[in-house]
Amino acid sequence: MKTITHALDDFIYQLFPDVTEGDRQALQAAMEAYFGRAGKHPAFVFEEQSVILTLGGEFPESDEEKYGLATELFEKKDYEACIQILKEMVEETPWEIEPYAMLCFVCSLTDKFDLCIEVANDGLKWHPENTSFLHIAGNAYAEGNKDFETALNYYIKAHSLNPDDALPLRHIPAYLFQCNRHDEAYGYIEKLIEIDPDDHLGYQMKGLYYFFEKDYLSCFMNITEALRKADVYRKSGQDPDRDPVDSDVLVKMAAKSAENYSEGVDWDDFTDKIKDEMVSKLGVDIRFDLYEEENPEFMPGLERAAAHGRDYHLIRYMDSKFTSLYMMMSQLIHLEFSEAAVKDSVYRVFSLPLDKVFKYVGRFTKFFAKKARRSDLDQFEENLFSAVRLLQLTVTETALFVIINETLYQRYKTFRPFLFITLKAKIDYLIYEFNKNDFSKNLPADMMSVLNMYHLVYVLHFKKLFGVDYLKDFRFKKHELNRAIVWFDEALGLFRKREPGEEFDLIEFWAEDVKLDRYLEIREVRG
């Protein structure tokens, strides 16, 4: 004897579609006809929320030889013959679950979606609480027929049977979005994150939900959290129950939400408030000034009062939306660091003069010049000068700006989308110039190695902040990455526990590591 209990919910009419909803008499007749074809004539007990079917007689097991043959045919990829054997088995022993399960799988694998749905529905009539059949049929409706509304019925039913199973929750919000029912998705997304907080997909869909709501800051925060979770997921190995990670899609979503958010913020008001807070905190006057001249020898930044004989500090910035905002915010943090260092008489200003840098690369240029053709030499000299200018900034600023950027990220949540845009633009520039352009062609190998180490620090930091791994887009040697990892760990360790002026020590220590310390010029500033 076998007992089958069906819930009297909307889903029962998915299995018996010719029955009018609420018509119990017609439902009983449909069930009698279906089970009668298998030689079973159930007794019915209708309760308020369920119908209980009791089937008498014998229920022999499936033919093991046929099941073995079907398995052998499947392994040989003779799917058509395999399907025929399995169809015979479900006809002979429709109460047995294994032939249904294997037949559904083979139909799904071979894109026989209609047959897959038919078989899954038959399996559910005999085994109404089998969530695997619900998942398979839901997937067939969605992927095969693009019928997302019906697919939702199956996944929502599976969720009702096992609320703590993450699998249906990975599909329900996505199909609700497809059906323009995104308002209904939030509860399912929150449940997925609660059940599986390490799954990137929950945060990805939560970000998408907020995008539809035009809450671009919340969208950005959740998409970048998804990127971080996805990075951990890649390292841990593939979980077959989780969707594969498409990092490119996530990065585009993060960039779009960051741009949309930035468009709606009054950044002048934002920076003025931060400046006023810093004036109050430090007890110094600070002014912003737009630098309009085009002078490649000068990079706008912080001009300390004492160095220029004035009673206020000046932060000069370029006339570019993203560049100017990032420059103002980063230099405000720089000023905070330097004020603390000046009071302890440990503030230092570093420079890498052009004449000294050319001494560093001179032996390589002479060697190249003896062998190069004139056309190559002209390009080499142009690239070399650009690289020297970049080296000056890279060596004297990278360590400091890692700590500045970490401070901006941790202290100003609403600034994170802008930090993402700015740092991503910097990395995109480095990828283009050093990997896709001919910028580095014929540059001294030692010089390129040093630049690689410093640039990889930025890449590692961006990955830590936002979960985006750009290492694959750079050409580097193992020892360069190892050095960058050590530096990055030093900078983060210093951020967590830092005495005034220690961030300036890193500039000198890192230069020592690559034998550039002898070319540095250091000027101490006393309080």
Side-chain angles (χ1 to χ4, degrees), residues 5 8 15 41 46-47 52 59 81 84-85 87 172 177 188 195 242 257 282 330 337 403 429 449 488 493 502 516:
T5 302
L8 291 175
L15 301 180
H41 302 282
F46 279 90
E47 297 184 346
I52 303 171
F59 294 88
Q84 287 305 120
I85 295 291
K87 286 172 71 175
I172 293 171
F177 291 146
Y188 293 107
I195 293 171
R242 292 183 181 174
S257 59
L282 301 179
S330 62
F337 291 172
I403 301 175
Y429 164 78
S449 183
F488 178 60
E502 283 189 317
L516 273 171

Side-chain angles (χ1 to χ4, degrees), residues 94-216:
W95 45 82
E96 286 288 280
I97 198 168
E98 288 84 2
Y100 283 115
M102 187 172 182
L103 182 52
C104 282
F105 177 74
V106 178
C107 289
S108 179
L109 184 67
T110 55
D111 294 342
K112 296 181 183 296
F113 296 111
D114 289 338
L115 179 57
C116 180
I117 292 166
E118 179 186 336
V119 173
N121 282 342
D122 283 342
L124 286 165
K125 289 169 184 173
W126 288 92
H127 307 279
E129 295 189 353
N130 186 289
T131 55
S132 294
F133 292 152
L134 291 165
H135 297 158
I136 289 171
N139 180 73
Y141 273 112
E143 300 302 319
N145 299 348
K146 305 303 178 186
D147 183 352
F148 301 110
E149 289 281 2
T150 304
L152 275 170
N153 295 337
Y154 284 83
Y155 280 112
I156 290 173
K157 177 66 175 180
H159 174 61
S160 72
L161 291 171
N162 187 359
D164 292 328
D165 181 8
L167 185 57
L169 292 169
R170 294 188 179 106
H171 295 274
I172 293 171
Y175 298 151
L176 286 170
F177 291 146
Q178 289 280 1
C179 299
N180 294 317
R181 294 164 55 187
H182 63 269
D183 290 345
E184 302 173 45
Y186 190 83
Y188 293 107
I189 295 169
E190 286 288 88
K191 182 66 175 177
L192 173 58
I193 293 173
E194 176 190 332
I195 293 171
D196 191 355
D198 295 325
D199 189 352
H200 72 281
L201 190 60
Y203 297 95
Q204 179 178 343
M205 290 191 293
K206 193 172 182 179
L208 188 58
Y209 169 84
Y210 280 120
F211 190 87
F212 286 128
E213 294 292 307
K214 294 184 170 33
D215 182 350
Y216 298 118

Side-chain angles (χ1 to χ4, degrees), residues 299-471:
M299 174 62 73
L302 170 65
E303 295 182 6
R304 294 188 55 81
H308 293 270
R310 63 169 83 96
D311 60 358
Y312 60 88
H313 299 299
L314 186 67
I315 292 176
R316 312 189 82 180
Y317 61 93
M318 297 177 180
D319 188 14
S320 167
K321 177 184 174 183
F322 293 136
T323 304
S324 62
L325 176 61
Y326 174 74
M327 185 170 292
M328 285 188 277
M329 289 295 293
S330 62
Q331 294 302 336
L332 283 171
I333 302 300
H334 186 188
L335 177 59
E336 178 185 343
F337 291 172
S338 63
E339 280 294 288
V342 166
K343 287 179 182 178
D344 282 12
S345 299
V346 289
Y347 178 60
R348 281 156 293 164
V349 177
F350 294 86
S351 61
L352 201 61
L354 274 177
D355 59 331
K356 292 191 174 183
V357 180
F358 276 114
K359 284 183 181 179
Y360 165 67
V361 298
R363 57 197 176 97
F364 302 105
T365 58
K366 289 177 182 177
F367 175 78
F368 180 81
K370 289 179 180 179
K371 294 190 173 183
R373 295 174 302 187
R374 181 70 251 175
S375 58
D376 290 338
L377 188 58
D378 290 343
Q379 184 63 52
F380 171 73
E381 290 174 347
E382 181 181 336
N383 289 354
L384 180 64
F385 186 78
S386 297
V388 164
R389 297 292 297 149
L390 184 60
L391 187 68
Q392 287 179 294
L393 295 174
T394 300
V395 172
T396 58
E397 292 185 352
T398 301
L400 178 60
F401 271 82
V402 169
I403 301 175
I404 287 174
N405 291 335
E406 186 71 24
T407 303
L408 288 169
Y409 180 89
Q410 299 293 348
R411 188 181 295 179
Y412 304 110
K413 175 182 175 181
T414 55
F415 187 71
R416 290 180 188 177
F418 212 97
L419 189 63
F420 176 91
I421 293 171
T422 305
L423 297 184
K424 182 178 182 300
K426 178 180 180 66
I427 291 174
D428 287 342
Y429 164 78
L430 293 175
I431 291 171
Y432 176 76
E433 290 292 354
F434 286 87
N435 294 275
K436 296 180 179 178
N437 201 4
D438 289 332
F439 178 80
S440 59
K441 185 179 180 182
N442 296 322
L443 287 180
D446 284 16
M447 185 179 186
M448 284 304 307
S449 183
V450 169
L451 285 171
N452 271 345
M453 294 177 201
Y454 280 97
H455 293 161
L456 289 172
V457 173
Y458 277 107
V459 175
L460 292 169
H461 196 200
F462 193 73
K463 179 181 177 182
K464 183 262 181 186
L465 294 178
F466 301 111
V468 185
D469 188 356
Y470 279 114
L471 285 174

Side-chain angles (χ1 to χ4, degrees), residues 206-207 210-211 213-224 254 256-262 265 267 270 412-418:
K206 193 172 182 179
Y210 280 120
F211 190 87
E213 294 292 307
K214 294 184 170 33
D215 182 350
Y216 298 118
L217 178 59
S218 295
C219 174
F220 173 82
M221 301 297 281
N222 279 282
I223 294 300
T224 50
K256 183 64 176 177
S257 59
E259 290 167 6
N260 287 358
Y261 170 72
S262 299
V265 176
W267 291 112
F270 181 87
Y412 304 110
K413 175 182 175 181
T414 55
F415 187 71
R416 290 180 188 177
F418 212 97

